[in-house]
Amino acid sequence: MNFNLNLSHFSAAVVFALFASIVFGITQRNSTMEQVKYGLYCFAMFVGGVFVAGWVMALIRR
Amino acid sequence: MANPTTDNPKDKSKNAAEPEYPLTTMAVIAPIVGWLIPGGGHILLKRYGRGVLLMISVVAMFVIGLGMQGRIYQPNGGDILDMLGFVGDVGTGVLYFLARIMDWGNVMAANAAADYGKTFLIAAGLLNFIAAADAHHIALGKKP
């Protein structure tokens, strides 16, 4: 493919979290409202995990 | 008074022999279509909204992975990790075969973004496997 996409680590993690959360929400719950809630929960956990891991690595580096 | 439907041992053995969710033709076809065409299994089962969202998610992750110069694994990589990468990549179905035909993703990871791209490609395939399994469950009647 002839296009080049340059995403930072954080933006790549957020895009990954978005699409993975959509799939998890749809596949792991039954009703539409449950799917939306679970998708949002997964997204929050993914992005929250990025922040937590980032802070842990920053503290280890000091 | 004894209940004739539950106390008869013949009826009990008949109920035990019948699976709760019998395997149907659609329960076999839907996951195969879902694997080959991301979201296709759900669309085949008339879950249009879910199917389109799954398609957008998997295709977007695949395109972003290729855009980040991610590598497409080949089945005969030789290394066990390459084979696992192939299993992940092949989960995207026709997208994988299209990429192989068009020679997309035939690059070595030269920077961090390419490494993220490779991860996007593998994750897209693995997520599509989950979506195909979900289509199977819907076709069986386990899930609405």
Side-chain angles (χ1 to χ4, degrees):
Chain A
M1 252 188 186
N2 283 334
F3 76 100
N4 201 343
L5 198 62
N6 279 317
L7 294 178
S8 68
H9 195 160
F10 179 72
S11 53
V14 171
V15 170
F16 182 95
L18 175 70
F19 293 124
S21 301
I22 290 171
V23 177
F24 283 166
I26 290 171
T27 57
Q28 303 301 312
R29 290 294 182 271
N30 292 334
S31 73
T32 305
M33 190 48 70
E34 282 177 342
Q35 289 172 355
V36 171
K37 282 181 184 173
Y38 190 68
L40 289 171
Y41 171 77
C42 287
F43 184 75
M45 286 293 126
F46 270 126
V47 177
V50 168
F51 277 104
V52 170
W55 273 107
V56 168
M57 284 186 276
L59 291 171
I60 289 170
R61 189 167 173 256
R62 285 186 184 182
Chain B
M1 186 178 167
N3 186 344
T5 57
T6 55
D7 290 353
N8 188 341
K10 282 183 182 175
D11 286 340
K12 277 184 182 174
S13 64
K14 188 183 173 186
N15 288 338
E18 285 180 6
E20 192 177 359
Y21 300 104
L23 190 65
T24 59
T25 310
M26 193 55 85
V28 176
I29 292 172
I32 294 170
V33 172
W35 165 59
L36 287 172
I37 304 164
H42 286 73
I43 291 170
L44 189 68
L45 295 167
K46 296 183 171 57
R47 268 67 172 184
Y48 300 110
R50 295 186 210 176
V52 169
L53 277 172
L54 289 170
M55 184 181 283
I56 290 170
S57 299
V58 174
V59 172
M61 286 187 77
F62 190 83
V63 171
I64 289 168
L66 284 179
M68 293 171 86
Q69 310 302 312
R71 177 184 171 202
I72 294 277
Y73 285 95
Q74 297 182 3
N76 53 354
D79 185 16
I80 185 73
L81 290 176
D82 284 3
M83 289 178 201
L84 289 173
F86 163 74
V87 170
D89 282 351
V90 83
T92 51
V94 290
L95 296 174
Y96 174 78
F97 300 113
L98 185 67
R100 288 294 307 277
I101 290 165
M102 301 299 287
D103 205 28
W104 296 334
N106 191 10
V107 291
M108 293 305 290
N111 52 31
D115 211 29
Y116 306 153
K118 179 185 74 181
T119 308
F120 266 77
L121 291 168
I122 293 172
L126 296 177
L127 289 172
N128 196 40
F129 277 136
I130 296 175
D134 190 54
H136 174 68
H137 287 148
I138 292 170
L140 279 179
K142 281 184 181 177
K143 190 179 171 185

